[in-house]
Amino acid sequence: MSSDQDHLKETDTEARFEFKKEENSAVRSGKGLTEEVIRMISEDKDEPDWMLERRLRALEQYHNMPMPSDWPGMPDLSELDVEEIIPYIRPDVDKREGVDDWTELPDEIQDTFDKLGIPEAEKNALSGVGAQYESEVVYQNMQEQWEEKGVIFCNMDEAVREHPELVKEHFMTTCVPPSDNKFAALHGAVWSGGSFVYVPEDVTVEMPVQAYFRMNSEGMGQFEHTLIIAEEGSEVHYIEGCSAPKYGTHNLHSGGVEVFVGEDAHVQYSTVQNWSKNTFNLNTKRAICEENGTMEWVSGSMGSKVTMLYPCTILKGRGSTDTHITIALAGEGQDIDTGAKVYHNAPETSSTIESKSISKDGGRTNYRGLVHIADGAENASTAVECDALMFDNESTSDTMPYMEIEESKVDVAHEATVGKIGDEDIFYLQSRGLDDDDAKKMIVAGFIEPITEELPIEYAVELNRLIELEMEGSLG
């Protein structure tokens, strides 16, 4: 990487995310959701018949489901017209399966990921990297030491071809079926790209693996699918990064994530999403935990026009545990509706939800959560903490926790606080030599520390810088 790019990586976060590239596609679908479009996507990927059949069933379910409209306080989706979204753009690259050498990519795609700092992060802090541009993964690499232990980290299209039995068993069957909601059905019909991670029994992947998803073209939708299978006693940390430049028309991101946590296994799924303010970000993410399995979700959501994101964990086995740590930031014209869902379906399960939100310039944040403790889930425990920070009187922050408790022998706690940055706090920091802006940044940095301390240092620094730029109104 050149010294100019090093300088960009270290200092100019705004430029790293806001740049645009002229579209250079090999295949581009028509707009909207039709059987013809679905068949074209499947044919272009040379998929087996069973995957095409699943796509067509999901398409039928999508058309039979109404748009969600009756949730209390739900974001306004009236400006989203899925029939105007381009669901599939295959970039013009030489190797469909992706390369394992950044220099083999076309210059404009290589430059994109250089600006985002992905090759540098791979050298310093990661066991493997996948990079998706538009609708397909263009780069995929895994360190040999993990491949030798049986770890699989490849793109989902390759997994369909090379690991069909694992994919048939786990892909949108029990974890996130298309019938779950309208956008899960949409995803099941047009999904493209994403990551497949398989960790064998008793293998600990000591450094994180990362996938980065870049949506470059105006008016498109990105629908990557992530499938993680962690066998008994294994451990892995998966990091997801997302970004897109701002355009005058709407883009749609509707990813799908399925995580299977085996007995005594541990999975951490961290995501930093920095979509542009013309993007609707509507995802379905879910994990199923077996006995004594541990699932951790760490997420930062900002940048989009609307985000609706509620990672869900089903605690299926005795002694399984779940942790959700989230940060959401909304500025002018943004509605960031995030939260968590946990189902305690077995005894001695535990969950912790810690939600942080920041709203400014009339933006809205909302925590929307569900904790369900089933009859028979004795000695289950859950603790929910929601903290909101508002910068002005025009901004709003709501909390909508739902508790469904069917068992009496449980421990349940919920706490919510909403506050503004106080003049006395600013005055104290100014008395210590900080100006007004730096004082606010320091308060916010302390407020979000529970999230940043869960991330590798490179990503914690990145998240802090993104939030600073959002506070300044610099990002599109």
Side-chain angles (χ1 to χ4, degrees):
M1 187 178 291
S2 69
S3 59
D4 288 343
Q5 288 167 332
D6 281 333
H7 177 73
L8 178 65
K9 178 180 183 295
E10 292 172 3
T11 63
D12 198 348
T13 304
E14 179 184 353
R16 288 176 58 201
F17 291 99
E18 286 299 282
F19 66 91
K20 303 173 184 177
K21 295 290 184 180
E22 184 176 340
E23 183 186 320
N24 185 17
S25 59
V27 175
R28 194 178 202 264
S29 74
K31 294 180 179 180
L33 272 293
T34 65
E35 182 175 331
E36 180 182 8
V37 167
I38 304 308
R39 289 185 179 276
M40 184 278 287
I41 294 172
S42 188
E43 181 179 355
D44 189 59
K45 293 176 175 292
D46 194 23
E47 289 180 338
D49 290 342
W50 62 265
M51 180 55 77
L52 173 59
E53 291 168 4
R54 292 192 184 190
R55 288 183 182 275
L56 293 174
R57 286 199 300 270
L59 177 66
E60 182 179 4
Q61 290 172 302
Y62 169 78
H63 285 308
N64 289 334
M65 287 180 173
M67 285 285 283
S69 61
D70 58 350
W71 296 10
M74 74 168 289
D76 181 9
L77 301 180
S78 62
E79 292 184 43
L80 174 61
D81 185 353
V82 176
E83 296 306 314
E84 288 298 312
I85 295 293
I86 302 163
Y88 183 70
I89 297 177
R90 172 158 65 86
D92 189 9
V93 295
D94 292 334
K95 293 185 178 181
R96 287 292 304 276
E97 66 275 13
V99 302
D100 59 5
D101 183 339
W102 291 104
T103 63
E104 293 182 28
L105 290 172
D107 290 344
E108 70 274 11
I109 297 179
Q110 184 182 344
D111 182 61
T112 293
F113 289 107
D114 277 345
K115 282 187 168 70
L116 293 167
I118 308 306
E120 194 67 20
E122 180 182 18
K123 293 177 188 176
N124 296 332
L126 300 169
S127 294
V129 167
Q132 179 160 333
Y133 191 83
E134 313 293 34
S135 297
E136 290 212 345
V137 172
V138 295
Y139 176 88
Q140 190 82 42
N141 193 32
M142 184 81 183
Q143 290 183 6
E144 281 188 20
Q145 62 175 311
W146 305 118
E147 291 180 346
E148 291 170 355
K149 293 183 178 181
V151 177
I152 302 170
F153 179 43
C154 65
N155 67 68
M156 273 304 303
D157 295 301
E158 180 181 341
V160 170
R161 295 190 303 270
E162 302 297 328
H163 311 285
E165 296 309 313
L166 280 171
V167 176
K168 279 183 183 179
E169 179 183 353
H170 295 91
F171 181 89
M172 301 196 79
T173 52
T174 58
C175 196
V176 182
S179 59
D180 186 79
N181 63 78
K182 190 173 181 69
F183 290 100
L186 168 67
H187 174 87
V190 297
W191 77 271
S192 184
S195 299
F196 177 78
V197 180
Y198 176 82
V199 186
E201 185 175 337
D202 294 327
V203 172
T204 296
V205 183
E206 294 167 357
M207 296 171 67
V209 296
Q210 183 196 28
Y212 200 96
F213 303 100
R214 178 69 174 183
M215 186 161 45
N216 179 71
S217 295
E218 184 173 10
M220 77 165 292
Q222 193 172 70
F223 305 95
E224 80 285 348
H225 191 89
T226 300
L227 175 56
I228 300 173
I229 304 169
E231 298 284 18
E232 181 178 347
S234 65
E235 185 169 347
V236 66
H237 182 186
Y238 178 91
I239 298 176
E240 170 191 80
C242 315
S243 67
K246 183 179 180 181
Y247 287 104
T249 57
H250 292 132
N251 283 39
L252 171 63
H253 175 252
S254 187
V257 175
E258 300 181 286
V259 184
F260 293 85
V261 184
E263 187 175 332
D264 293 306
H266 182 177
V267 176
Q268 180 172 332
Y269 192 107
S270 302
T271 180
V272 178
Q273 300 194 357
N274 178 42
W275 300 110
S276 57
K277 291 184 173 65
N278 60 294
T279 300
F280 285 83
N281 182 30
L282 313 169
N283 299 287
T284 305
K285 299 184 175 185
R286 187 168 297 151
I288 298 176
C289 276
E290 302 295 342
E291 185 171 346
N292 295 320
T294 299
M295 182 67 206
E296 294 183 67
W297 302 94
V298 180
S299 61
S301 299
M302 64 199 76
S304 60
K305 178 180 179 64
V306 170
T307 286
M308 297 176 70
L309 176 60
Y310 323 99
C312 173
T313 300
I314 299 171
L315 297 174
K316 179 182 176 183
R318 178 186 291 270
S320 52
T321 64
D322 174 65
T323 301
H324 290 258
I325 303 175
T326 67
I327 175 70
L329 190 150
E332 182 180 2
Q334 294 178 283
D335 194 338
I336 310 299
D337 199 280
T338 59
K341 293 191 287 186
V342 186
Y343 291 85
H344 292 254
N345 291 347
E348 299 174 16
T349 50
S350 63
S351 64
T352 302
I353 300 171
E354 185 172 359
S355 171
K356 302 276 188 178
S357 65
I358 303 167
S359 52
K360 61 182 283 290
D361 299 331
R364 176 183 181 263
T365 59
N366 180 42
Y367 167 81
R368 190 185 301 271
L370 168 66
V371 175
H372 175 90
I373 301 181
D375 184 21
E378 293 185 353
N379 301 317
S381 63
T382 185
V384 181
E385 181 180 347
C386 304
D387 298 320
L389 189 63
M390 293 187 293
F391 274 70
D392 48 63
N393 293 327
E394 291 73 35
S395 300
T396 59
S397 181
D398 299 316
T399 302
M400 298 180 181
Y402 296 86
M403 300 280 190
E404 298 175 350
I405 312 299
E406 299 175 354
E407 170 61 49
S408 59
K409 296 180 180 179
V410 296
D411 186 1
V412 177
H414 178 264
E415 177 184 345
T417 61
V418 179
K420 293 181 181 178
I421 292 182
D423 291 340
E424 62 277 9
D425 298 324
I426 300 296
F427 178 78
Y428 171 78
L429 291 173
Q430 287 177 329
S431 72
R432 311 299 293 182
L434 277 69
D435 63 22
D436 183 74
D437 287 342
D438 286 340
K440 290 178 179 178
K441 289 175 183 177
M442 178 172 284
I443 292 170
V444 169
F447 182 71
I448 67 169
E449 186 176 2
I451 284 100
T452 57
E453 67 185 8
E454 293 294 323
L455 294 169
I457 184 64
E458 294 86 355
Y459 301 93
V461 170
E462 189 69 69
L463 180 59
N464 272 311
R465 181 61 183 141
L466 285 170
I467 288 176
E468 287 180 9
L469 288 170
E470 286 282 355
M471 290 170 59
E472 296 165 5
S474 299
L475 288 175

